[in-house]
Amino acid sequence: MKHLLSTRDLSAASALRLLDVAEEMSAVGEREIKKLPALRGRTVVNLFFEDSTRTRISFEAAAKRLSADVINFVAKGSSVSKGESLKDTAQTLEAMSADAVVIRHPASGAPARLAASDWIDAAVINAGDGTHEHPTQALLDAFTLRRHWARIGGNASPGTTLAGMKVLIVGDVLHSRVARSNVWLLTTLGAEVLLAGPPTLMPVGVGAWPCTVFYDLDVAIAQRPDAVMMLRLQAERMNAAFFPSTREYSRRWGFDDGRLALLDIMGLDDTVIMHPGPMNRGLEISAAAADSPRSTILAQVRNGVSVRMAALYLLLSGDTHDDDQHDDE
Ligand code: CP
């Protein structure tokens, strides 16, 4: 595979291969010297037309741990404000010998457009496009879930899937690229996915997705999920007239202290709480839930570096074999 644009493009085997390589990359992070020479002489360009904290920094850390050179482009303060097109921006960066372009863009489909064009030769990685997809977020979520599944089930061997796991995704599914990428990836890996959110924040056609949809969060929690993934209410993608009352939203759809206690009452001792970040504490998730021992939020951020190292390594090194060759580097 030359590009990473959508989790729909990943077979179970290719997703598991990436997660297994990410485990090996994570072991590198435990070493005294946390660097591999695998991508020495390669250049990774972070091309961000939308704000980001985790994804951009995580791709930069991942590329640097693999010894690649990194160029960071942020649209704010660039010649985009003078009307420069995506084509001209991309070709300008390609002229600086980019081997991979990691792109975040407000327009759904922008990474695919770049990958399909003859504007650049570089590998294209989708770092979030509009409301469409965020494949590396879903991969790091799957990595985090797989580790949790291994911890409670005792099976941490390479190639382990998420079969038997129940994951509940809650909130503003309509605007969530994270939800879309997770639905495709987690179901490919064998998990059962449940969605819960207000009808106004569910996409048209959600009934055809490979998951069960709930319009009452407490009924969804009663299904005894192994993980609850809270989504941010994406005000920036909504018409202000449609923005729900925050108090009402929080009461009906927030993972608040009451719902945190409910997990204990239900005996769901191993259920984890996830959030891709950034969070609106007190709106879709309470501070107590975000900071509780059940929270995997910081583990997700940590795992993001290993997963992005694996993605860059597999796309740029040409290693498509199930061997350990990068262990020796
Ligand atoms: N989860 C995520 O994409 O976070 P950032 O917007 O901070 O990159």
Side-chain angles (χ1 to χ4, degrees):
M1 219 170 70
K2 181 170 179 192
H3 309 290
L4 177 53
L5 302 172
S6 162
T7 54
R8 282 195 199 233
D9 299 335
L10 297 174
S11 63
S14 56
L16 289 171
R17 167 80 178 130
L18 197 146
L19 298 185
D20 290 341
V21 172
E23 283 292 355
E24 295 172 31
M25 296 299 177
S26 173
V28 173
E30 307 294 320
R31 294 185 196 168
E32 198 178 327
I33 297 174
K34 297 179 171 41
K35 238 175 149 114
L36 292 175
L39 299 184
R40 191 159 46 206
R42 302 299 193 99
T43 301
V44 174
V45 172
N46 285 326
L47 184 55
F48 276 63
F49 293 86
E50 255 189 9
D51 295 344
S52 168
T53 298
R54 291 150 205 80
T55 311
R56 197 191 62 71
I57 291 171
S58 173
F59 266 111
E60 181 170 356
K64 286 180 171 168
R65 280 199 186 166
L66 293 169
S67 305
D69 295 320
V70 180
I71 297 173
N72 286 311
F73 170 92
V74 179
K76 264 183 211 153
S78 76
S79 288
V80 169
S81 64
K82 300 171 196 163
E84 189 158 71
S85 67
L86 175 60
K87 174 180 176 179
D88 290 333
T89 303
Q91 286 185 324
T92 299
L93 293 163
E94 169 103 329
M96 296 172 195
S97 306
D99 294 292
V101 172
V102 176
I103 178 171
R104 170 168 290 192
H105 202 284
S108 298
R113 174 78 186 93
L114 192 57
S117 73
D118 57 4
W119 306 339
I120 62 168
D121 277 336
V124 176
I125 301 180
N126 181 359
D129 61 329
T131 59
H132 175 229
E133 284 226 32
H134 193 350
T136 58
Q137 177 68 45
L139 283 159
L140 74 87
D141 291 337
F143 181 93
T144 306
L145 285 166
R146 196 170 74 144
R147 278 198 164 176
H148 175 64
W149 207 221
R151 215 169 16 250
I152 61 176
N155 185 359
S157 55
T160 307
T161 69
L162 300 179
M165 192 169 214
K166 201 182 275 189
V167 182
L168 169 62
I169 302 177
V170 182
D172 180 3
V173 178
L174 178 64
H175 300 103
S176 178
R177 52 200 181 200
V178 173
R180 283 172 182 73
S181 284
N182 264 302
V183 166
W184 315 136
L185 181 65
L186 300 183
T187 52
T188 294
L189 291 175
E192 179 184 350
V193 177
L194 320 177
L195 298 178
T200 49
L201 293 176
M202 282 291 167
V204 173
V206 71
W209 291 16
C211 36
T212 316
V213 183
F214 294 85
Y215 296 107
D216 181 318
L217 178 52
D218 297 312
V219 172
I221 292 173
Q223 310 307 307
R224 307 182 68 82
D226 301 292
V228 181
M229 186 183 296
M230 301 307 298
L231 302 172
R232 184 172 65 85
L233 197 54
Q234 300 198 24
E236 74 277 20
R237 299 191 202 279
M238 289 182 206
N239 182 322
F242 293 104
F243 194 78
S245 138
T246 50
R247 183 184 294 199
E248 174 71 1
Y249 185 88
S250 180
R251 189 180 66 76
R252 295 194 57 184
W253 302 105
F255 206 92
D256 57 13
D257 297 357
R259 290 184 173 116
L260 183 62
L262 185 61
L263 296 185
D264 293 336
I265 293 163
M266 291 173 69
L268 293 174
D269 298 340
D270 294 323
T271 296
V272 291
I273 302 167
M274 309 178 77
H275 196 301
M279 287 177 274
N280 286 313
R281 284 172 182 256
L283 180 50
E284 76 268 6
I285 189 166
S286 69
D291 298 334
S292 78
R294 293 180 183 274
S295 169
T296 61
I297 294 168
L298 291 177
Q300 288 169 263
V301 174
R302 263 192 308 277
N303 295 339
V305 177
S306 307
V307 163
R308 288 167 178 134
M309 285 173 79
L312 289 169
Y313 176 79
L314 289 170
L315 288 176
L316 294 186
S317 72
D319 171 14
T320 54
H321 305 292
D322 289 340
D323 59 24
D324 299 332
Q325 67 191 57
H326 53 285
D327 257 2
D328 303 322
E329 286 165 341

